[in-house]
């Protein structure tokens, strides 16, 4: 085994250099979100009535329980702050950790750099060990930040902060274990990312169902997200569920080397189906781009649709809660939001899922970058294809992703709500209205990621922190209690919550114009910079 991991510390240093931008930005982003959440909760210290309203409203609101879990029983403000940022941020950390592992292993392998490294005095398992080492450091750093930033909030004690650390660290480690196996087993980095991240997000959804659907509590014990919730910081501080997540991590570390010894470099344990010998339909850059990226778009659309069906089914229960909880109704109306609780819930959740369109766009950007670094794009441009034509094809496909993902979300929500007995017409107005209103914000955010990539190809992965930032400051910002000026940074904050909010042209026009400006500037930059 010692020869199999030869020179892994050297590769750790190489990976740290590779991640010198993404990891610090992500850690700081997590810290800022948690600090803002703690400050917002701390501001309620002198107003017990506001605390009570928050507990009653959130405790009875299916949307809050689905996203964040039940309100903790502890009366401390630190418990509320941990809950407000908890499970969603834990899932976000797990996804980031999984993508980091795949990025440092299979992505490097596809680019041909791993083959060069293994040509030296480097053990065959050393690249995976080094990637896991960097991912562990990232997970521990975020977990420590999320615990330490709660220290100044009233009610924080050492044992509870340790439980918060265990929530983040154990779930992140489980994601690392899943990702290192996926990177070895699946035929591409894209498939490995989808598999590892999909398991994490599926666990988040199952945990949400367990907290909102009667009799489904057992689903909480089927995933690392549910195990993290079972730790219950500031209440039981039970660290035993974290051992299950650590067990997943250990299992991944033991399985991945065995797979590595049985597969060829550049191929997965699961063999990709070969394409046809001829491709008469690939007569344009757009046709080629569609052939290469249609699976990415479809996977994002299908994943969001699966989530949307569950949301639609749960939405029918929200109005039932209002009939028995007048305090919750009064609290929501006091915020200035109009409409039924079901409409408010559907608007909020559709806005959440619409942000996923940016994720699909960023995924296509990173695939575009892979085509550039692998040399395949240079081969295409060596023929009668101009840079402008190639750029237009790629951007056109990104636009398709930005539109198709929100449409899939709205359609799935409509189907789920209709099957559960909700009104088809009113649900369609809400879901498709919010999805359409979110498109300019999604285009502006993706346009910024495109501009950064066009300026420098290595900045393509920065789109993921932009996605998380837009999500947390926009649809999620209200639940985190962030200041309005902080939330206004995200274009998604200005998306009207149809049908309860009045639609104004300016909040939709400005991000649309910004998206066009970013895209034109990106075209000019990409047309002039060197490839690679």
């Amino acid at each position: 085994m010692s020869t199999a991991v030869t020179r892994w510390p050297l590769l750790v240093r190489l990976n740290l250099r590779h991640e010198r931008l993404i990891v610090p930005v992500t850690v700081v982003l997590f810290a800022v979100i948690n600090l803002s959440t703690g400050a917002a909760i701390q501001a309620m210290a002198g107003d017990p009535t506001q605390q009570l309203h928050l507990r009653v409203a959130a405790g009875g609101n299916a949307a809050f329980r689905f996203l964040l879990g039940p309100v903790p029983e502890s009366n401390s403000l630190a418990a509320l702050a941990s809950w407000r940022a908890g499970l969603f941020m834990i899932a976000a950390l797990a996804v980031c950790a999984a993508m980091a592992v795949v990025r440092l292993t299979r992505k490097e392998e596809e680019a041909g750099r791993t083959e060069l490294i293994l040509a030296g005095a480097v053990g065959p398992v050393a690249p995976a060990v080094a990637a896991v080492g960097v991912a562990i450091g990232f997970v521990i750093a975020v977990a420590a930040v999320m615990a330490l930033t709660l220290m100044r909030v009233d009610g924080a004690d050492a044992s509870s902060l340790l439980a918060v650390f265990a929530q983040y660290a154990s779930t992140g480690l489980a994601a690392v274990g899943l990702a290192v196996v996926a990177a070895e087993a699946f035929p591409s980095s894209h498939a490995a990312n989808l598999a590892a991240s999909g398991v994490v997000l599926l666990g988040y959804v199952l945990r949400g169902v367990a907290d909102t659907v009667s009799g489904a509590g057992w689903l909480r014990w089927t995933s690392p997200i549910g195990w993290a919730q079972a730790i219950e910081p500031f209440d039981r501080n039970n660290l035993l569920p974290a051992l299950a997540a650590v067990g997943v991590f250990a299992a991944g570390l033991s399985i991945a080397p065995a797979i590595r010894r049985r597969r060829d470099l550049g191929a997965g344990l699961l063999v990709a189906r070969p394409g046809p010998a001829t491709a008469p339909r690939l007569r344009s850059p757009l046709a080629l781009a569609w052939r290469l990226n249609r699976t990415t778009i479809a996977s994002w659309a299908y994943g969001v649709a699966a989530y949307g069906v569950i949301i639609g089914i749960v939405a029918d229960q929200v109005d039932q809660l209002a009939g028995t909880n007048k305090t919750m109704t009064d609290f929501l109306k006091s915020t200035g939001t109009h409409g039924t609780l079901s409409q408010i819930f559907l608007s909020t959740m559709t806005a959440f899922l619409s942000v996923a369109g940016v994720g699909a766009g960023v995924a296509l950007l990173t695939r575009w970058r892979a085509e550039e670094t692998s040399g395949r794009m240079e081969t295409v441009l060596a023929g009668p294809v101009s840079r402008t034509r190639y750029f237009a094809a790629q951007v056109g496909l990104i636009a398709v992703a930005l539109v198709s993902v929100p449409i899939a979300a709205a359609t799935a929500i409509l189907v789920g709500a209709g099957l559960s007995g909700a009104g088809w017409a009113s649900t369609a107005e809400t879901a498709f209205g919010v999805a359409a209103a979110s498109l300019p914000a999604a285009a502006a955010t993706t346009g910024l990621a495109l501009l950064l990539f066009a300026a420098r190809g290595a900045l393509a992965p920065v789109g993921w922190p932009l996605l998380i930032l837009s999500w947390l400051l926009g649809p999620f910002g209200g639940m985190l209690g962030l200041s309005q000026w902080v939330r206004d940074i995200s274009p998604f904050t200005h998306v009207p919550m149809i049908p309860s909010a009045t639609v104004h042209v300016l909040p939709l026009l400005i991000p649309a114009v910004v998206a066009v400006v970013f895209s034109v500037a990106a075209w000019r930059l990409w047309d002039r910079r060197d490839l690679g």
Side-chain angles (χ1 to χ4, degrees):
M1 183 63 181
S2 59
T3 57
V5 297
T6 300
R7 308 297 293 273
W8 71 269
L10 178 63
L11 297 184
V12 167
R13 294 196 294 272
L14 179 63
N15 287 341
L16 288 174
R17 179 175 177 79
H18 187 277
E19 298 289 291
R20 66 185 183 276
L21 176 62
I22 298 176
V23 168
V25 169
T26 306
V27 173
V28 170
L29 179 59
F30 273 85
V32 169
I33 294 299
N34 216 32
L35 285 171
S36 300
T37 303
I41 296 296
Q42 190 77 357
M44 299 190 313
D47 191 348
T49 302
Q50 190 176 1
Q51 295 182 45
L52 177 62
H53 280 172
L54 174 62
R55 288 184 175 277
V56 172
N61 191 332
F64 275 94
R65 293 204 312 275
F66 191 91
L67 292 170
L68 305 176
V71 180
E73 296 179 3
S74 173
N75 293 323
S76 71
L77 295 179
L80 281 178
S82 174
W83 165 76
R84 286 283 288 270
L87 295 174
F88 181 83
M89 297 297 289
I90 290 171
L93 170 61
V95 171
C96 290
M99 294 180 66
V101 172
V102 175
R103 186 167 59 247
L104 295 174
T105 52
R106 200 53 187 272
K107 197 77 173 178
E108 292 294 292
E109 193 172 317
E110 290 177 347
R113 290 186 285 268
T114 301
E115 186 175 5
L116 292 176
I117 290 173
L118 294 177
V122 175
V125 185
V129 173
V132 169
V134 172
I136 291 173
F138 166 67
V139 167
I140 292 176
V142 173
V145 162
M146 299 304 283
L148 294 176
T149 48
L150 293 174
M151 288 182 62
R152 300 187 63 181
V153 183
D154 292 347
D157 60 275
S159 59
S160 296
L161 294 181
L162 177 62
V164 171
F165 175 85
Q167 279 187 309
Y168 285 90
S170 62
T171 309
L173 290 177
V176 170
L178 292 170
V180 73
V181 173
E184 298 292 342
F186 284 85
S188 67
S189 60
H190 171 66
N193 269 328
L194 287 178
S197 301
V199 171
V200 172
L201 296 177
L202 177 61
Y204 180 75
V205 171
L206 293 176
R207 192 278 319 154
V209 173
D211 287 331
T212 51
V213 178
S214 178
W218 61 272
L219 291 173
R220 190 176 296 111
W221 298 98
T222 60
S223 72
I225 303 295
W227 303 336
Q229 183 184 26
I231 294 175
E232 297 185 38
F234 300 95
D235 283 338
R236 296 175 60 196
N237 292 334
N238 180 19
L239 300 181
L240 289 179
L243 296 179
V246 175
V248 172
F249 169 70
L253 294 189
S254 62
I255 294 172
I259 299 177
R260 177 66 187 88
R261 289 191 291 268
R262 287 168 172 78
R263 73 172 180 92
D264 294 331
L265 191 68
L269 188 65
L270 304 175
V271 180
R273 186 180 64 180
T278 59
R281 295 181 180 180
L282 301 182
R283 299 181 181 275
S284 68
L286 181 59
L288 176 61
W290 170 251
R291 178 67 173 269
L292 294 175
N293 296 291
R294 60 188 179 184
T295 303
T296 301
I297 299 175
S299 60
W300 277 90
Y302 290 151
V304 167
Y307 204 166
V309 170
I310 297 173
I311 290 171
I313 294 173
V314 172
D316 189 46
Q317 303 179 15
V318 179
D319 281 328
Q320 299 174 12
L321 294 172
T324 59
N325 196 334
K326 184 177 182 301
T327 305
M328 179 176 65
T329 306
D330 293 341
F331 174 77
L332 289 175
K333 289 184 177 180
S334 69
T335 63
T337 306
H338 304 287
T340 66
L341 292 181
S342 178
Q343 289 174 334
I344 296 171
F345 175 74
L346 286 175
S347 297
T348 303
M349 298 307 298
T350 304
F352 265 83
L353 295 184
S354 296
V355 184
V358 179
V362 174
L364 295 182
L365 271 180
T366 56
R367 182 64 183 266
W368 184 354
R369 173 62 177 170
E371 292 295 299
E372 181 178 343
T373 55
S374 66
R376 292 187 292 268
M377 185 177 71
E378 187 175 359
T379 303
V380 174
L381 294 177
V385 177
S386 66
R387 280 200 176 196
T388 298
R389 190 180 175 194
Y390 189 93
F391 181 89
Q394 296 290 340
V395 172
L397 203 62
I398 291 173
V400 170
L402 291 180
V403 174
S404 60
V405 171
I407 289 178
T411 303
I413 289 174
L414 175 62
V415 170
L419 294 177
S420 65
W424 288 87
S426 59
T427 302
E429 179 186 3
T430 300
F432 284 98
V434 174
S438 300
L439 287 177
T445 306
T446 310
L448 178 57
L450 174 65
L451 181 63
L452 295 174
F453 163 72
R456 185 179 179 186
L459 294 179
V462 177
W464 296 115
L466 285 177
L467 166 62
I468 297 173
L469 186 64
S470 299
W471 205 333
L472 294 177
L473 298 186
F476 209 72
M479 293 186 179
L480 293 177
L482 301 180
S483 300
Q484 188 60 42
W485 70 269
V486 176
R487 294 193 60 204
D488 286 341
I489 298 174
S490 171
F492 289 96
T493 301
H494 309 284
V495 174
M497 292 294 101
I498 298 171
S500 59
T502 303
V503 179
H504 298 286
V505 175
L506 200 58
L508 300 179
L509 180 61
I510 291 177
V513 172
V514 169
V516 172
V517 172
F518 281 163
S519 298
V520 172
W523 165 59
R524 300 297 294 175
L525 288 172
W526 190 80
D527 193 48
R528 285 166 171 75
R529 76 167 171 86
D530 294 333
L531 300 181

